[in-house]
């Protein structure tokens, strides 16, 4: 059995995520759903998401609609109550260096753009739609491997601009000193947020109820630290309706 919550995992949040998994296990167990004792956030994400042994994980909208939709069970979507977003939705912040004199989107058309992965909705898909809305797409693109690394590269002058998941940006502001060297010039349009999933054939409604109960039972301080407000049943059609970036 596999459980993994790697999407927003950071060492500074290990205690909170461990506590969250403990209440999830209790809630799943009360409904007869077997779970592993501990989470494993070390495996490749697609290995986790596509495993027939997957009990519980969280995935991004782009891999969900491009690869996973017919191969996993959509349980529900975590609600992080992000600025300007409906419940269960998220957006991304467009980050540049604090001392970069450019202000308008179009001034960054020839900039060095860094993104976490090209299978990321918040770092790549949302960036493509944002740039296209302003009449361009970045020709100078570089993958960093992680949102936090993208932000760090911009702060350190290794790139000019990054588009970073707004929830991750909250954590960067809380934990990373380089955040002071960055500023937000815009936000992308909201799209369905990071979805909780299980292997194909899982009981979605039963698991959704379990997650809702677990969040309610989580220590309020841990819930606040993780920014967890609850779980929302965002329909599959809302995920599939978002346009994919070019390959």
């Amino acid at each position: 059995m596999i459980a993994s919550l790697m999407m927003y995992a950071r060492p500074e949040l290990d205690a909170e995520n461990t506590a969250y998994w403990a209440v999830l296990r209790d809630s799943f167990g009360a409904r007869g759903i077997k779970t592993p004792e501990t989470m494993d956030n070390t495996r490749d994400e697609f290995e986790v998401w596509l495993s027939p042994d997957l009990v519980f994980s969280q995935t991004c909208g782009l891999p969900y609609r491009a690869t996973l939709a017919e191969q996993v069970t959509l349980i529900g979507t975590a609600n992080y109550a992000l600025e300007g977003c409906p419940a269960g939705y998220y957006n991304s912040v467009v980050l540049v260096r604090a001392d970069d004199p450019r202000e308008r989107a179009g001034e960054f058309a020839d900039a060095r753009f860094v993104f976490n992965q090209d299978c990321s909705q918040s770092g790549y898909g949302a960036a493509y739609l944002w740039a296209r809305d302003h009449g361009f797409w970045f020709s100078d693109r570089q993958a960093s491997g992680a949102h936090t690394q993208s932000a760090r590269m911009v702060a350190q002058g290794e790139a000019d601009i990054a588009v970073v998941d707004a929830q991750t940006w909250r954590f960067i502001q809380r934990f990373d000193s380089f955040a002071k060297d960055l500023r937000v010039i815009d936000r992308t349009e909201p799209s369905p947020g990071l979805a909780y999933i299980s292997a194909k054939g899982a009981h979605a409604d039963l698991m959704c109820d379990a997650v809702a109960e677990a969040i309610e039972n989580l220590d309020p301080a841990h819930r606040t630290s993780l920014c967890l407000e609850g779980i929302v049943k965002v329909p599959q059609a809302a995920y599939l309706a978002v346009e994919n970036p070019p390959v």
Side-chain angles (χ1 to χ4, degrees):
M1 295 182 291
I2 300 174
S4 174
L5 288 173
M6 80 286 269
M7 300 299 281
Y8 291 133
R10 298 186 56 122
E12 300 92 341
L13 295 171
D14 281 350
E16 289 87 343
N17 280 312
T18 297
Y20 184 31
W21 178 238
V23 293
L24 282 167
R25 287 187 69 247
D26 288 346
S27 192
F28 287 144
R31 290 163 174 78
I33 300 169
K34 295 181 179 180
T35 61
E37 183 68 26
T38 59
M39 294 187 294
D40 182 356
N41 291 332
T42 64
R43 301 193 193 197
D44 172 79
E45 53 201 15
F46 279 96
E47 177 189 350
V48 169
W49 296 333
L50 292 170
S51 172
D53 298 320
L54 176 63
V55 175
F56 189 71
S57 190
Q58 192 173 29
T59 188
C60 175
L62 179 49
Y64 177 74
R65 67 180 180 269
T67 304
L68 304 174
E70 301 305 319
Q71 302 188 64
V72 300
T73 297
L74 177 64
I75 297 169
T77 305
N79 179 27
Y80 297 102
L82 288 159
E83 176 187 339
C85 297
Y89 280 60
Y90 73 161
N91 59 10
S92 299
V93 295
V94 183
L95 295 175
V96 302
R97 283 186 302 285
D99 62 358
D100 193 312
R102 290 170 285 190
E103 295 287 346
R104 298 188 304 276
E107 295 179 276
F108 288 90
D110 295 324
R112 296 170 297 169
F113 168 60
V114 65
F115 58 94
N116 55 336
Q117 299 170 291
D118 61 9
C119 65
S120 167
Q121 172 58 30
S122 54
Y124 195 82
Y128 171 73
L129 295 175
W130 175 82
R132 190 185 66 181
D133 286 347
H134 290 90
F136 69 93
W137 177 225
F138 300 105
S139 58
D140 187 347
R141 303 190 295 270
Q142 179 182 353
S144 70
H147 275 309
T148 302
Q149 179 61 11
S150 295
R152 182 181 289 109
M153 289 175 67
V154 174
Q156 294 176 348
E158 298 171 43
D160 297 318
I161 189 168
V163 177
V164 171
D165 175 337
Q167 175 67 3
T168 301
W169 175 234
R170 280 176 168 174
F171 293 145
I172 290 171
Q173 291 175 292
R174 190 190 306 175
F175 297 121
D176 295 311
S177 61
F178 63 78
K180 69 182 186 302
D181 299 318
L182 297 166
R183 64 185 173 92
V184 176
I185 63 165
D186 205 355
R187 287 177 178 261
T188 66
E189 292 296 317
S191 63
L194 268 61
Y196 290 132
I197 59 171
S198 187
K200 192 173 181 64
H203 196 310
D205 291 338
L206 189 68
M207 296 192 76
C208 186
D209 289 345
V211 175
E213 180 183 86
I215 293 172
E216 182 66 26
N217 290 339
L218 184 62
D219 181 278
H222 289 153
R223 194 164 61 238
T224 297
S225 187
L226 295 172
C227 307
L228 267 173
E229 295 287 330
I231 184 171
V232 178
K233 292 286 282 186
V234 177
Q236 184 188 73
Y239 283 93
L240 300 183
V242 180
E243 183 179 349
N244 286 329
V247 177

